Amino acid sequence: MWAGEVEKEAAALVVHTYPLCKHSDMPEEMKQEAIETCVTAVEKYSENHEQAARMIKDNLDKKFGPPFQIVVGEAYSCAITYEEKSLLHMFIGGNIAVLVWKTITNF
């Protein structure tokens, strides 16, 4: 290090061990049910995101009516059109993101 150089500290990596809801416009009761379903599915199928997404979709379709769409993964981006009051974006276990929304059925 030369004189006057400032040592930069590396930013610490933050890993959340609890479910972290980044955004939701769901009613509170629906949101809590969806979060619990997502956490259960991701923990049960930790190595198979496709199976976790299927479990979440099946449970939410039965409870709140179809058609829900689910994305589970570690690296993705998307742009969606969704029914109002049906969007949930959350992280589970630090790096697994879950995106839940209900598709618009009538225009």
Side-chain angles (χ1 to χ4, degrees):
M1 240 183 351
W2 54 274
E5 184 178 0
V6 177
E7 185 176 325
K8 293 182 182 179
E9 292 183 26
L13 181 62
V14 177
V15 177
H16 300 282
T17 57
Y18 55 89
L20 176 65
C21 179
K22 291 296 282 185
H23 177 76
S24 176
D25 69 351
M26 290 180 171
E28 192 61 33
E29 182 180 312
M30 183 183 204
K31 176 182 164 184
Q32 290 305 317
E33 184 67 33
I35 287 173
E36 289 174 16
T37 301
C38 292
V39 169
T40 302
V42 169
E43 287 176 353
K44 183 174 182 180
Y45 299 108
S46 60
E47 298 297 318
N48 190 338
H49 297 317
E50 186 176 342
Q51 284 290 84
R54 171 61 58 191
M55 180 180 168
I56 296 166
K57 178 177 175 40
D58 291 344
N59 287 342
L60 294 180
D61 281 350
K62 286 178 192 172
K63 199 154 257 205
F64 302 109
F68 274 93
Q69 308 299 318
I70 316 296
V71 178
V72 179
E74 294 182 33
Y76 61 86
S77 68
C78 66
I80 61 171
T81 301
Y82 66 96
E83 187 175 303
E84 195 172 31
K85 306 268 186 228
S86 71
L87 178 70
L88 172 69
H89 180 229
M90 65 180 293
F91 289 92
I92 301 169
N95 63 341
I96 299 174
V98 179
L99 180 62
V100 176
W101 75 96
K102 194 169 187 179
T103 305
I104 297 174
T105 55
N106 299 326
F107 283 100

